[in-house]
């Protein structure tokens, strides 16, 4: 008989997807009804609540639908050895996303889709012009403002990591592990695709890709979620904890501001082409995945599941004639 590790828990997985997606989509309804979309005053609260739904789904499934003896341990919220086992992955999750975001901007610049002013910061000066008009040393203001905003990215990512934990506890904490019987590539691809579709209502409202038809926005979001989700899943499985993935997710969100800091005046950032969300940034994500594969870190080498025994701690013995 196949063990729990040998097959996908279809019942738990289906319920997880239903609970993670259904209520999240319902939370977006007021943004449609009011006609104000993402500018609705209650949108920040609705979006935060949406991010919590995957965590709710994971805990409900592990507690009541497919009960786990240790629900928090099963999702990676706790782990044997605690933070000592994954603190170095947390450092990578802290600094890695901003570095990857800068590399994505550099690739976009080299391909001609990102118009940057690396030193003059003319785009930042243009957007902050009302603040600096009449100041005698206005030329120094964009630099100071840029340094302030970059510093905020490395701090505010920790704030973003709190709601990001709501997503990661579900998508990487529960679903990726639940789908591992499909193989790691299958688990990463399926989780990423579902995560991308989870964004459907806010994509319709113009989130991330407002300049392209909705079908294109869906395709781009799914591609992005599969690629970045593979890296987040690697953090989850390699560290044995969901916390590094949540931290990385938080800093990915915070690092999105880098494109605006270094843009040239008159050239607003278009997520379709620029940054990790854009196709030019996907080159960086693909290269990072390839590097992990080349150094033998992906797929993750997971500990073998213990064989079933007669009772706890007793191995099953074969009887010889």
């Amino acid at each position: 008989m196949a063990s729990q590790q040998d097959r996908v828990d279809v019942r738990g997985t289906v319920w997880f997807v239903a609970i993670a997606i259904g209520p999240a989509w319902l939370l977006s309804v007021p943004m449609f009804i009011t006609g104000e979309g993402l500018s609705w005053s209650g949108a920040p609260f609705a979006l935060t609540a949406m991010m919590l739904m995957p965590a709710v789904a994971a805990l409900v499934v592990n507690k009541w639908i497919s009960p786990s003896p240790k629900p928090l341990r099963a999702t990676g919220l706790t782990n044997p050895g605690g933070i000592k086992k994954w603190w170095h992955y947390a450092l990578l999750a802290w600094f890695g996303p901003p570095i990857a975001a800068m590399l994505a901007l550099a690739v976009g610049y080299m391909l001609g889709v990102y118009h940057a002013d690396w030193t003059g910061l003319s785009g930042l000066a243009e957007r902050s012009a009302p603040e600096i008009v009449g100041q005698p040393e206005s030329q120094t203001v964009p630099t100071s403002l840029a340094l302030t905003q970059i510093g905020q990215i490395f701090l505010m990512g920790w704030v973003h990591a709190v709601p990001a934990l709501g997503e990661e506890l579900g998508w990487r904490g529960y679903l990726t592990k639940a789908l591992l019987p499909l193989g790691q590539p299958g688990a990463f691809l399926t989780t990423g695709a579902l995560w991308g579709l989870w964004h459907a209502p806010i994509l319709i409202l113009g989130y991330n890709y407002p300049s392209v038809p909705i079908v294109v926005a869906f395709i781009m979001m799914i591609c992005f979620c599969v690629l970045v989700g593979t890296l987040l899943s690697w953090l989850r499985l390699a560290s044995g904890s969901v916390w590094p993935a949540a931290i990385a997710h938080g800093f990915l969100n915070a690092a999105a501001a880098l494109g605006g800091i270094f843009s040239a005046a008159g050239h607003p950032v278009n997520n379709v082409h620029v940054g990790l969300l854009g196709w030019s940034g996907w080159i960086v994500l693909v290269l990072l995945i390839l590097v992990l594969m080349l150094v033998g870190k992906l797929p993750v080498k997971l500990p073998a599941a213990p064989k079933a025994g007669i009772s706890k701690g007793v191995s099953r013995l074969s009887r010889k004639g």
Side-chain angles (χ1 to χ4, degrees):
M1 181 181 295
S3 68
Q4 190 176 10
Q5 292 79 20
D6 294 328
R7 63 175 184 266
V8 174
D9 173 17
V10 175
R11 180 169 177 264
T13 301
V14 170
W15 271 103
F16 167 81
V17 173
I19 298 171
I21 292 181
W25 286 4
L26 287 174
L27 284 165
S28 70
V29 169
M31 290 183 273
F32 288 93
I33 293 177
T34 61
E36 297 178 18
L38 296 171
S39 62
W40 176 52
S41 60
F45 302 100
L47 293 173
T48 301
M50 287 177 68
M51 295 178 73
L52 296 177
M53 287 302 104
V56 171
L59 296 175
V60 167
V61 170
N62 275 327
K63 182 68 176 178
W64 291 290
I65 297 172
S66 294
S68 170
K70 296 180 178 179
L72 300 183
R73 178 70 54 86
T75 56
L77 197 60
T78 63
N79 63 287
I83 193 172
K84 292 180 180 179
K85 294 291 186 179
W86 54 262
W87 67 267
H88 48 297
Y89 288 100
L91 287 178
L92 181 61
W94 183 2
F95 294 102
I99 293 172
M102 283 300 300
L103 290 174
L105 295 180
V107 171
Y109 177 72
M110 289 187 289
L111 293 175
V113 295
Y114 177 55
H115 301 276
D117 186 354
W118 301 109
T119 56
L121 305 170
S122 58
L124 185 61
E126 182 181 59
R127 291 190 302 280
S128 60
E131 302 174 15
I132 65 177
V133 168
Q135 295 187 21
E137 299 181 1
S138 61
Q139 293 300 318
T140 64
V141 173
T143 301
S144 301
L145 184 58
L147 291 174
T148 300
Q149 291 187 6
I150 292 171
Q152 288 176 345
I153 287 171
F154 284 96
L155 293 176
M156 291 303 294
W158 294 104
V159 177
H160 286 289
V162 176
L165 177 63
E167 289 191 57
E168 292 307 311
L169 197 63
W171 301 118
R172 257 60 63 179
Y174 172 80
L175 189 59
T176 295
K177 289 208 71 178
L179 295 176
L180 283 178
L182 300 176
Q184 290 185 32
F188 300 164
L189 177 62
T190 306
T191 301
L194 289 169
W195 184 30
L197 289 173
W198 174 83
H199 291 86
I202 54 178
L203 288 174
I204 295 171
L205 291 169
Y207 180 75
N208 280 343
Y209 303 110
S211 63
V212 295
I214 189 59
V215 173
V216 177
F218 274 39
I219 294 171
M220 294 199 70
M221 195 67 194
I222 289 172
C223 289
F224 168 73
C225 286
V226 168
L227 292 172
V228 81
T230 296
L231 296 170
L232 293 174
S233 294
W234 171 73
L235 280 172
R236 161 69 175 105
L237 297 179
S239 68
S241 170
V242 76
W243 287 102
I247 294 168
H249 190 153
F251 280 93
L252 278 169
N253 290 347
L258 286 169
I261 294 174
F262 295 102
S263 64
H267 294 281
V269 176
N270 187 338
N271 289 336
V272 173
H273 307 289
V274 176
L276 293 174
L277 281 166
W279 63 264
S280 64
W282 299 349
I283 296 172
V284 173
L285 296 176
V286 170
L287 288 175
L288 289 174
I289 293 169
L290 290 175
V291 167
L292 289 175
M293 294 173 66
L294 288 173
V295 299
K297 297 295 184 180
L298 195 67
V300 180
K301 295 178 176 63
L302 300 173
K307 294 182 179 180
I310 298 171
S311 61
K312 185 177 180 181
V314 180
S315 300
R316 187 183 300 276
L317 301 175
S318 60
R319 300 182 65 181
K320 297 184 179 179

